[in-house]
Amino acid sequence: MKIDRVRIDNILGIEHLEFDAGQFVTISGDNGLGKTSVLEAIKGTLKGGSDATLLRAGAEKGEVVLVLDNGGTIGMRVNAAGTTRSVKGPD
């Protein structure tokens, strides 16, 4: 399985970002534009545990959704109280 699409809302320095993930993805830009935030959002979704520090400053809730090539999803929701995750199959 591979990640086909990534959606990030209110995580670290990212208000909203959505992109298709191909076989290779290049994340580039000047300092302070969110490259590390993208990687930390994906890592946080996959690693488990609870990490309210991922929530974007001033936001009430944040979310990351990774859409897999089989139609399944891996999701993470973050609020001040903590983190919840979901895994949904293609059916």
Side-chain angles (χ1 to χ4, degrees), residues 36-84:
T36 301
S37 294
V38 172
L39 297 175
E40 289 296 320
I42 293 169
K43 183 174 91 174
T45 303
L46 296 173
K47 78 172 185 173
S50 182
D51 190 355
T53 64
L54 292 173
L55 186 60
R56 184 172 178 259
E60 292 183 21
K61 62 181 180 174
E63 182 177 42
V64 179
V65 177
L66 308 176
V67 179
L68 306 176
D69 63 350
N70 70 354
T73 61
I74 301 170
M76 174 181 73
R77 290 180 183 222
V78 181
N79 61 34
T83 306
T84 58

Side-chain angles (χ1 to χ4, degrees), residues 3-17:
I3 298 171
D4 268 355
R5 185 155 192 76
V6 177
R7 188 182 83 235
I8 303 170
D9 291 301
N10 292 321
I11 299 293
L12 297 172
I14 300 170
E15 184 174 358
H16 176 77
L17 175 67

